[in-house]
Amino acid sequence: MNLEVLLLLAAALFSIGLYGALTQQSVVMLMMGLELMLGGIITAAAAVRHHIAPAATEGQVLIVLAVTVMAVEMAVGFAVVTALFRAREVDMTDMAAELKE
């Protein structure tokens, strides 16, 4: 695949994620939109890195590290959302805004 197609895919992922993050009221759907945005950024970074130096392995290690960090971050986020739901029955973003008071 060439660079333009991969960057177009990354832009599409980021755009869908941004739309999902801005329009959804459910905390889980908001997190899914953020996950898509991060996936788009990682796809673009991997495409550019492969285009610059296709034989180098440092970029591949960095991308695997970024995906691992993204997975851990989402696992922690879902754990917090689950604990919040179990404690106070909060599942929408407007209900979570009341917690700061």
Side-chain angles (χ1 to χ4, degrees):
M1 296 183 79
N2 56 7
L3 180 64
E4 292 83 17
V5 173
L6 288 173
L7 289 179
L8 187 62
L9 172 69
L13 280 173
F14 188 84
S15 300
I16 292 169
L18 182 64
Y19 176 76
L22 292 177
T23 59
Q24 297 298 321
Q25 297 236 343
S26 171
V27 177
V28 174
M29 294 300 288
L30 174 71
M31 291 178 65
M32 287 175 65
L34 294 173
E35 184 78 14
L36 278 174
M37 290 171 63
L38 288 172
I41 292 170
I42 289 174
T43 303
V48 169
R49 179 68 183 155
H50 180 70
H51 181 71
I52 291 172
T57 59
E58 301 92 25
Q60 295 172 358
V61 172
L62 184 64
I63 296 302
V64 169
L65 180 68
V67 169
T68 305
V69 168
M70 184 175 68
V72 169
E73 173 256 333
M74 290 308 290
V76 169
F78 280 122
V80 168
V81 169
T82 303
L84 191 61
F85 181 76
R86 287 182 180 171
R88 301 216 180 156
E89 298 287 325
V90 172
D91 62 345
M92 302 298 255
T93 55
D94 55 349
M95 297 165 93
E98 298 170 358
L99 295 176
K100 67 179 179 180
E101 296 174 355

